């Protein structure tokens, strides 16, 4: 249930609403801006809207019937900003770049230095890789985390890496992974999502290749809302990485509609992954620009110091093109956000 307070509502009036919500075993999220908005969560079906509407200072009361209440803009009208070691996702264009997979110490360090030089803000690289075939390279595991940490020490870039199962959380904590990536294949792994709803590190949730926007936001709700009343991880970043369609010219199809739709109806930051969306290095600059034009808060791009010899996803990995992409996308981002602020 959502309660919009009048702009002139006093602190006491807000406290009265909170007190009533708590009487029925609910808890409240208070969003402050020009107008105070109170989100009530818990067994709200036991209370009628009128119970709050009659209170002084209350302007409007309504129920959210969506299954993804807390990640909706109705619940939280302002943009959520996710802070990663001082880098704010949702406030300015954030670029995450690095190899698909951590292959060796040299590969990781060379690539990290390269993406830093071209202007990336964070470093990506998979230590555990979900591969379609069991015969393909699955990543270095813990050794991969060691190289990521070394690359972070060398460049200062926070690290983003994929967590394939809840049992890896202690290892991720040991290596102080900055952003836990949930890969497309695990988008609806509810056991993993529940486990990650209880950690205090940001989670980058990729959209599954055959997951609708509604199902995707339900998955995000698992992370954000936790068990409904308590807990929940409020640092969630969404990522459009292309979906399966009948098209075969590209690896996946970029769902630009979804990016714009989610930005409008959810308060969570949304980034784009032009590498997996296209699967083709030569399309990465074009689709990066399109994603930012559609409202992306950032991009996650596969880059490699020697893409021709990459063990995984070399055909979609870029090198010096990254510099131009960052320059062009920053300019597009500026134009869009100036317009929005007019
Ligand atoms: C990746 O980021 O390397 C990856 C495996 O992406 P996705 O989960 O989107 O396929
Ligand atoms: Mn990849």
């Amino acid at each position: 249930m959502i309660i919009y307070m009048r702009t002139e509502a006093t602190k006491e009036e807000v406290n009265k609403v909170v007190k009533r919500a708590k009487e029925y075993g609910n808890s409240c999220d208070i969003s402050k801006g020009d107008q105070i908005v109170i989100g009530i969560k818990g067994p709200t079906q036991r209370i009628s809207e009128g119970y709050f509407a009659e209170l002084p200072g209350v302007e409007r009361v309504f129920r959210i019937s969506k299954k993804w209440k807390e990640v909706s803009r109705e619940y939280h009208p302002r943009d959520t900003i996710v802070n990663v070691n001082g880098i704010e996702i949702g406030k300015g264009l954030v670029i995450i770049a690095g190899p698909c997979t951590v292959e060796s110490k040299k590969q990781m360090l060379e690539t990290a230095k390269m993406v830093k030089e071209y202007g990336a803000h964070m470093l990506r690289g998979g230590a555990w890789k979900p591969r379609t075939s069991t015969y393909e390279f699955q990543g270095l595991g813990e050794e991969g985390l060691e190289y990521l940490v070394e690359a972070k020490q060398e460049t200062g870039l926070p690290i983003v890496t994929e967590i394939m199962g809840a049992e890896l959380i202690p290892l991720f904590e040991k290596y102080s992974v900055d952003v836990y990536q949930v890969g497309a294949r695990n988008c609806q792994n509810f056991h993993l999502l529940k486990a990650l709803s209880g950690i205090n590190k940001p989670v980058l949730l990729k959209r599954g290749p055959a997951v609708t926007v509604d199902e995707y936001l339900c998955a995000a709700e698992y992370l954000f809302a936790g068990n409904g009343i308590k807990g929940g991880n409020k640092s969630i970043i969404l990522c459009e990485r292309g979906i399966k369609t009948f098209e075969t010219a590209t690896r996946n199809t970029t769902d630009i509609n979804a990016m714009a739709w989610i930005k409008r109806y959810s308060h969570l930051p949304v980034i784009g992954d032009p590498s997996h969306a296209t699967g083709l290095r030569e399309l990465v600059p074009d689709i990066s620009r399109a994603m930012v034009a559609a409202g992306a808060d950032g991009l996650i791009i596969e880059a490699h110091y020697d893409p021709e010899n990459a063990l995984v996803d070399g055909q979609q990995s870029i090198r010096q093109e990254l510099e131009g992409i960052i320059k062009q996308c920053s300019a597009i981002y500026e134009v869009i956000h100036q317009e929005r602020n007019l």
Side-chain angles (χ1 to χ4, degrees):
M1 195 179 278
I2 304 289
I3 298 176
Y4 281 90
M5 301 299 292
R6 292 185 202 285
T7 42
E8 70 278 8
T10 64
K11 215 172 161 189
E12 289 68 41
E13 288 169 342
V14 172
N15 288 343
K16 259 197 190 140
V17 172
V18 172
K19 197 164 161 250
R20 279 212 166 171
K22 287 189 176 163
E23 275 167 21
Y24 279 86
N26 297 285
S27 66
C28 296
D29 274 344
I30 302 180
S31 174
K32 291 187 181 133
D34 297 340
Q35 186 176 24
I36 290 181
V37 181
I38 306 174
I40 301 184
K41 47 188 181 175
T44 51
Q45 61 284 358
R46 290 165 53 203
I47 333 171
S48 78
E49 284 93 323
Y51 193 56
F52 291 106
E54 68 180 26
L55 290 176
V58 172
E59 183 186 281
R60 198 152 57 93
V61 181
F62 70 96
R63 279 182 202 278
I64 304 181
S65 52
K66 291 187 179 80
K67 284 180 266 170
W68 39 278
K69 297 180 202 305
E70 291 193 33
V71 301
S72 74
R73 272 209 193 268
E74 288 157 315
Y75 192 87
H76 191 286
R78 280 164 284 281
D79 285 347
T80 282
I81 311 291
V82 173
N83 193 313
V84 182
N85 305 356
I87 299 166
E88 295 183 305
I89 306 182
K91 254 198 177 167
L93 188 72
V94 173
I95 306 293
I96 305 166
C100 176
T101 306
V102 183
E103 300 166 9
S104 67
K105 184 166 163 168
K106 177 172 164 45
Q107 172 247 16
M108 206 53 234
L109 288 177
E110 292 291 329
T111 306
K113 281 189 269 180
M114 180 189 87
V115 302
K116 163 114 184 184
E117 191 192 319
Y118 292 144
H121 307 102
M122 291 193 225
L123 183 64
R124 62 151 289 149
W128 282 266
K129 292 304 299 179
R131 304 304 307 280
T132 302
S133 163
T134 189
Y135 301 111
E136 290 168 326
F137 179 51
Q138 312 280 318
L140 297 175
E142 185 169 357
E143 192 186 340
L145 291 184
E146 283 168 18
Y147 300 153
L148 279 167
V149 169
E150 279 188 50
K152 175 179 168 180
Q153 283 163 352
E154 181 87 19
T155 58
L157 299 177
I159 51 180
V160 181
T161 193
E162 178 164 352
I163 182 146
M164 299 251 287
E167 74 286 357
L168 291 172
I169 293 175
L171 211 48
F172 272 50
E173 282 169 347
K174 178 176 159 201
Y175 287 90
S176 301
V177 169
D178 299 295
V179 178
Y180 293 36
Q181 174 176 327
V182 175
R185 292 157 189 81
N186 271 318
C187 177
Q188 291 184 301
N189 178 341
F190 302 116
H191 177 74
L192 177 61
L193 299 180
K194 280 183 192 172
L196 295 175
S197 78
I199 64 164
N200 63 359
K201 286 285 183 176
V203 175
L204 168 57
L205 176 66
K206 291 187 131 193
R207 180 178 174 193
V211 165
T212 64
V213 166
D214 190 63
E215 290 162 345
Y216 185 31
L217 291 169
C218 282
E221 186 85 5
Y222 265 91
L223 291 166
F224 196 88
N227 72 6
I229 296 188
K230 279 199 213 103
N233 185 335
K234 307 303 174 200
S235 297
I236 307 302
I237 307 150
L238 300 177
C239 177
E240 167 60 37
R241 45 76 75 204
I243 53 169
K244 293 253 183 250
T245 66
F246 57 80
E247 185 53 71
T248 54
T250 50
R251 182 173 176 179
N252 288 295
T253 298
T254 309
D255 191 355
I256 288 285
N257 293 2
M259 302 193 80
W261 199 96
I262 294 171
K263 281 298 295 175
R264 189 163 290 270
Y265 296 108
S266 170
H267 54 84
L268 294 176
V270 180
I271 67 168
D273 174 347
S275 313
H276 293 90
T278 62
L280 297 169
R281 176 186 309 140
E282 57 273 29
L283 295 188
V284 169
D286 304 327
I287 303 308
S288 296
R289 293 191 299 267
M291 286 171 155
V292 175
D297 296 292
L299 298 169
I300 180 165
I301 301 178
E302 286 188 342
H304 196 290
Y305 83 112
D306 181 13
E308 279 70 32
N309 290 304
L311 290 181
V312 188
D313 285 351
Q315 74 293 346
Q316 65 191 36
S317 300
I318 58 167
R319 238 165 45 158
Q320 71 280 2
E321 300 91 327
L322 184 62
E323 193 171 22
I325 291 175
I326 298 179
K327 281 201 182 119
Q328 292 186 342
C329 289
S330 302
I332 294 169
Y333 184 92
E334 282 304 311
V335 171
I336 291 170
H337 290 264
Q338 273 166 15
E339 292 286 320
R340 271 197 196 155
N341 295 336
L342 285 179

